[in-house]
Amino acid sequence: MSVSTASITETCHALRERVNARLEKYVEQAPGVPQRLQEAMAYSLMAGGKRLRPILVLLSCEACGGQAEAALPAACAIEMVHTYSLIHDDLPAMDNDELRRGRPTNHVVFGEALAILAGDGLLTLAFDVLARDVTPGETAAACCADLARAAGMAGMVGGQVADLEAEGRTVSSIEELEAIHRRKTGALLASSLTMGARIAKASNEDLHRLASFGRCLGLAFQITDDLLDVCGSPQNLGKAVQKDASRGKLTYPSLLGEEASLLRAQCQVVEACKWIEPFGERGRRLESLAQFVLERDH
Ligand code: IPE
Ligand code: IPE
Ligand code: MG
Ligand code: MG
Ligand code: MG
């Protein structure tokens, strides 16, 4: 392990702990919340996961000179939206998966109706957290807009629809594939960077650089997710593998082959890192994280 890989692993571990502690508080039992709903939300949210998006929020804030503490609510909010997207993605009507984050999927344990509602609960809680705990109000509103747009019809939800529509199709183009991946995964990941930057009161120029970094990294991330479905292990990933081909999913390896897919991911990471060169030392941890995305086995 290189020095920079070792130190980013330590950084991620420490930030993940802080995020987990705050998430735990946000999904505690509260008056009026049916117990089974609270259990279903906490089951998926606290099941582990890399916490990549929250870590990106915190590192983006720090790269722009802000304090990670101020960005913790936004970090938690994006993880809630991400976890909701996973619960719904695994439903029988979508990817029909039974293993997630090393555990049976939410609908397997709680039933489909509660899994759908647990997802809804996490999605709405995310905006409650942003609106209440990000300050000042103007920044909270901007973060709500970032996250809503990234998660919504022209972002993650739109990408998920396009992903399902492309299933089983025999003729597809790289442009179509890229448009799916940019929406279903890239948009949310990029909003981690913009929210962190907004909380640090970054200049418009830095905001644009970080958003661009996030878009490239998001695409690289979904390409490596596609590759891990082909050559990863369920033990490391905590989810089933080799399911995309049997479902007829449009993925990078299915369209381009593994080698060319890896090359695409590498190019996206190189481009991502170019965008944050002007940050110099302050951008190093984001650079190391981008490298992790490329080399990850989970
Ligand atoms: C999996 O996301 C779904 C995709 C968008 C590819 P992650 O690989 O970040 O899943 P967790 O959060 O670590 O479980
Ligand atoms: C999911 O992509 C992207 C989401 C918005 C959740 P995948 O369907 O490839 O994610 P995994 O492989 O099930 O984690
Ligand atoms: Mg899917
Ligand atoms: Mg899936
Ligand atoms: Mg996948």
Side-chain angles (χ1 to χ4, degrees):
M1 201 189 279
S2 71
V3 174
S4 93
T5 313
S7 73
I8 193 65
T9 306
E10 267 172 44
T11 300
C12 286
H13 178 77
L15 295 177
R16 200 177 295 122
E17 295 293 300
R18 283 174 77 180
V19 168
N20 286 342
R22 185 65 69 93
L23 282 173
E24 192 104 52
K25 285 210 155 50
Y26 281 132
V27 284
E28 267 173 7
Q29 183 53 261
V33 182
Q35 194 185 335
R36 207 64 188 143
L37 174 64
Q38 186 271 334
E39 283 168 11
M41 289 166 66
Y43 174 83
S44 292
L45 190 64
M46 303 314 299
K50 293 177 286 298
R51 309 303 197 203
L52 175 68
R53 294 152 193 81
I55 290 170
L56 285 169
V57 175
L58 302 178
L59 292 185
S60 172
C61 180
E62 286 188 342
C64 298
Q67 298 290 324
E69 187 63 27
L72 258 185
C76 291
I78 199 155
E79 187 64 19
M80 289 170 192
V81 172
H82 169 59
T83 304
Y84 125 77
S85 81
L86 297 178
I87 296 174
H88 284 196
D89 181 74
D90 290 334
L91 286 168
M94 293 188 68
D95 289 352
N96 193 20
D97 271 308
E98 297 192 341
L99 186 69
R100 172 68 69 182
R101 293 180 164 173
R103 298 178 170 190
T105 44
N106 201 288
H107 65 270
V108 167
V109 178
F110 296 93
E112 275 184 61
L114 203 51
I116 292 167
L117 291 163
D120 295 342
L122 287 169
L123 174 61
T124 42
L125 180 58
F127 289 96
D128 182 7
V129 164
L130 282 181
R132 265 190 303 140
D133 292 351
V134 173
T135 54
E138 203 182 316
T139 307
C143 287
C144 281
D146 277 353
L147 189 57
R149 181 153 301 189
M153 59 191 180
M156 190 272 290
V157 171
Q160 289 285 68
V161 170
D163 171 281
L164 295 175
E165 283 177 350
E167 256 182 33
R169 196 177 293 161
T170 45
V171 185
S172 304
S173 66
I174 184 77
E175 288 76 21
E176 185 191 2
L177 173 59
E178 192 175 307
I180 293 173
H181 281 28
R182 283 196 185 280
R183 282 174 291 168
K184 78 171 186 180
T185 305
L188 204 56
L189 210 131
S191 75
S192 309
L193 281 300
T194 53
M195 289 198 294
R198 284 190 200 285
I199 291 162
K201 310 223 172 321
S203 65
N204 283 340
E205 205 178 15
D206 282 351
L207 200 69
H208 174 69
R209 288 183 179 123
L210 285 162
S212 306
F213 169 84
R215 273 192 291 274
C216 296
L217 188 64
L219 183 55
F221 186 81
Q222 185 61 47
I223 298 174
T224 54
D225 182 81
D226 288 354
L227 281 165
L228 287 167
D229 180 79
V230 178
C231 55
S233 88
Q235 288 75 25
N236 289 340
L237 290 164
K239 62 185 181 184
V241 295
Q242 292 175 8
K243 299 198 74 176
D244 290 343
S246 58
R247 277 188 210 118
K249 287 281 189 197
L250 177 55
T251 65
Y252 270 82
S254 74
L255 197 66
L256 296 181
E258 290 172 47
E259 221 169 289
S261 301
L262 185 59
L263 201 61
R264 285 243 168 189
Q266 284 165 342
C267 290
Q268 288 299 321
V269 168
V270 169
E271 197 185 329
C273 292
K274 283 218 176 91
W275 278 107
I276 54 165
E277 262 168 22
F279 287 87
E281 257 329 292
R282 287 185 300 138
R284 292 285 175 258
R285 299 209 287 183
L286 286 171
E287 270 177 26
S288 305
L289 205 56
Q291 207 51 41
F292 158 79
V293 163
L294 209 50
E295 294 163 6
R296 70 198 181 102
D297 65 358
H298 64 294

